[in-house]
C-alpha cells in the first residue's frame, strides 16, 4: 500500500520529469525560432540591399542628368517622393511584420496547447495506472490479512486441541 510519502515522491518525480521535458521543449523552440528569425532577417537584408543598390544606381543616373538641367525642381520632387516611399515601405514592413508576428504567435499558441494536452493526457494515463495498481495492491493486502487471520485461528484451534488431548490423556493415563 502506498503511503503519503510514496505518493509525494511519485508526484515529485512526475513534476521533475515534466519540468525537464518543458525545459527541453522550450530550448528546442527557442533554437528553432532563433534560426528562423536569423534566416528571415538575412533574407530581408539581402533583398533590401539588392533593391536599394539597384534603386541607388537608377536614381543616381536620373538625378545626375536631371540635376544638371533642373536642380531646384528635382530637390523638391525627390524629397516628396522619398518621404512617400519611406512611408510606403514603413507601412508595408509594419504590416508584414505584424502578420508574421501574429502567425508565429498563433503557431506557438497552438503548439503549446497541443503540448499541454499531451502532458495532461499522459498524467491521466499515469494516474489511472497508479490507481489500478494501488487498488490491486489493496486487494492483495486484504487477501493477506484474511489469510493471516485464518492461520491464527487455525493455530489457536490446534493449540486448544492439543491442550484438550493432553488433558484427556492425563485423565485416561494418569501417572
Amino acid at each position: 500500500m502506498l503511503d503519503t510519502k510514496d505518493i509525494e515522491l511519485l508526484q515529485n518525480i512526475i513534476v521533475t520529469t515534466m519540468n525537464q521535458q518543458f525545459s527541453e521543449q522550450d530550448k528546442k523552440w527557442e533554437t528553432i525560432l532563433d534560426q528562423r528569425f536569423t534566416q528571415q532577417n538575412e533574407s530581408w537584408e539581402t533583398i533590401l540591399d539588392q533593391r536599394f543598390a539597384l534603386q541607388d544606381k537608377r536614381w543616381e543616373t536620373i538625378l545626375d542628368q536631371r540635376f544638371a538641367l533642373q536642380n531646384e525642381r528635382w530637390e523638391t520632387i525627390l524629397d516628396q517622393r522619398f518621404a512617400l516611399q519611406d512611408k510606403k515601405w514603413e507601412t508595408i514592413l509594419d504590416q508584414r511584420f505584424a502578420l508574421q508576428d501574429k502567425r508565429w504567435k498563433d503557431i506557438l499558441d497552438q503548439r503549446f496547447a497541443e503540448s499541454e494536452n499531451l502532458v495532461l493526457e499522459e498524467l491521466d494515463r499515469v494516474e489511472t495506472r497508479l490507481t489500478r495498481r494501488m487498488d490491486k495492491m489493496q486487494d492483495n493486502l486484504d487477501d493477506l490479512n484474511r489469510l493471516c487471520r485464518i492461520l491464527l485461528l487455525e493455530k489457536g484451534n490446534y493449540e486448544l486441541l492439543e491442550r484438550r488431548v493432553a488433558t484427556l490423556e492425563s485423565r485416561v493415563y494418569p501417572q
Side-chain angles (χ1 to χ4, degrees):
M1 173 180 231
L2 291 175
D3 62 351
T4 307
K5 290 180 182 177
D6 292 336
I7 292 172
E8 288 176 2
L9 181 62
L10 285 173
Q11 287 175 342
N12 287 337
I13 290 171
I14 290 169
V15 167
T16 303
T17 304
M18 286 175 51
N19 286 338
Q20 289 172 349
Q21 289 176 351
F22 279 131
S23 177
E24 290 170 6
Q25 190 68 19
D26 287 347
K27 288 177 185 175
K28 179 181 172 185
W29 278 109
E30 186 175 330
T31 303
I32 290 169
L33 288 175
D34 286 346
Q35 290 172 350
R36 297 247 172 103
F37 281 129
T38 300
Q39 290 171 351
Q40 186 70 23
N41 287 340
E42 290 171 357
S43 173
W44 275 104
E45 284 177 19
T46 304
I47 291 169
L48 289 175
D49 287 345
Q50 290 171 352
R51 290 197 178 164
F52 282 136
L54 290 173
Q55 187 74 8
D56 286 346
K57 287 178 185 177
R58 182 174 163 250
W59 280 107
E60 280 181 26
T61 304
I62 292 171
L63 290 176
D64 286 345
Q65 293 170 358
R66 297 212 177 158
F67 272 146
L69 300 173
Q70 299 176 354
N71 207 4
E72 289 180 20
R73 179 177 167 243
W74 277 108
E75 282 181 14
T76 306
I77 292 172
L78 287 175
D79 289 343
Q80 292 171 351
R81 287 190 180 172
F82 278 129
L84 289 174
Q85 188 71 12
D86 286 346
K87 287 180 183 177
K88 179 181 173 185
W89 273 106
E90 192 175 302
T91 303
I92 289 170
L93 289 175
D94 286 346
Q95 290 171 349
R96 290 196 178 163
F97 281 131
L99 287 173
Q100 189 72 10
D101 287 347
K102 183 184 182 311
R103 183 173 157 243
W104 278 110
K105 183 181 179 290
D106 292 344
I107 289 171
L108 286 175
D109 287 346
Q110 178 187 4
R111 297 282 167 86
F112 282 132
E114 289 171 2
S115 295
E116 208 172 88
N117 289 338
L118 287 173
V119 168
L120 291 173
E121 287 172 6
E122 184 61 25
L123 282 175
D124 286 342
R125 282 194 291 265
V126 167
E127 180 184 15
T128 302
R129 281 187 283 164
L130 287 175
T131 302
R132 273 192 255 133
R133 285 183 180 174
M134 286 174 34
D135 290 344
K136 188 175 180 180
M137 287 175 60
Q138 185 62 45
D139 291 344
N140 289 341
L141 278 175
D142 292 343
D143 290 345
L144 284 174
N145 283 335
R146 282 192 291 273
L147 182 62
C148 283
R149 279 191 222 118
I150 290 170
L151 289 174
L152 287 174
L153 288 172
E154 285 181 359
K155 182 181 176 187
N157 287 342
Y158 181 74
E159 288 173 356
L160 183 62
L161 182 63
E162 278 185 336
R163 276 189 257 140
R164 291 267 190 199
V165 168
T167 305
L168 286 175
E169 281 181 353
S170 65
R171 284 187 192 168
V172 171
Y173 305 112
Q175 292 182 349

